[in-house]
Amino acid sequence: MTAQQLNPVVQEFVDALNANDQDRLSAILTDDASMSDDGVERNLTQWTDSEVFSSNGRLDVETIGDHGTELVANYTNSRWGSMLTTWRFTVRDGKVSRFETGQA
């Protein structure tokens, strides 16, 4: 991992995802949070249920950029296995208001 650190809000998102803690992840998202996967807008609740919580998703951060709001990570879940992914986060008022992910 690079010397740059994750933005604290993004770090909380990663920690909550890796803990498979739905309440904790929900608490770090704005009420109107949105997301996309490989450039396609997705329903955030359905996506996290499928890709994170029911399939034990895990992010292992490899590199960090853009002041800690962009990362490249090895993402693993029981549905797809492991793949190198990019993640870009928009932080607003101390919460994640949007994230975009996709294969690197």
Side-chain angles (χ1 to χ4, degrees), residues 2-59:
T2 66
Q4 188 177 13
Q5 297 297 307
L6 287 174
N7 172 292
V9 174
V10 174
Q11 183 67 62
E12 176 62 15
F13 178 97
V14 171
D15 292 346
L17 185 148
N18 286 345
N20 204 29
D21 188 331
Q22 191 168 7
D23 291 336
R24 188 173 165 194
L25 187 66
S26 180
I28 199 67
L29 299 171
T30 63
D31 290 340
D32 63 344
S34 63
M35 60 91 51
S36 68
D37 184 2
D38 283 329
V40 177
E41 291 298 311
R42 303 286 183 185
N43 176 292
L44 190 143
T45 301
Q46 290 174 351
W47 188 90
T48 55
D49 285 346
S50 173
E51 302 299 329
V52 178
F53 301 118
S54 68
S55 60
N56 295 313
R58 177 153 185 90
L59 274 170

Side-chain angles (χ1 to χ4, degrees), residues 28-93:
I28 199 67
L29 299 171
T30 63
D31 290 340
D32 63 344
S34 63
M35 60 91 51
S36 68
D37 184 2
D38 283 329
V40 177
E41 291 298 311
R42 303 286 183 185
N43 176 292
L44 190 143
T45 301
Q46 290 174 351
W47 188 90
T48 55
D49 285 346
S50 173
E51 302 299 329
V52 178
F53 301 118
S54 68
S55 60
N56 295 313
R58 177 153 185 90
L59 274 170
D60 293 311
V61 177
E62 299 287 327
T63 61
I64 301 168
D66 197 22
H67 307 287
T69 60
E70 292 186 3
L71 58 95
V72 173
N74 190 16
Y75 187 73
T76 304
N77 69 22
S78 61
R79 184 174 182 196
W80 302 107
S82 294
M83 65 187 81
L84 195 61
T85 56
T86 59
W87 297 73
R88 291 178 190 84
F89 294 87
T90 302
V91 176
R92 184 180 76 224
D93 300 327

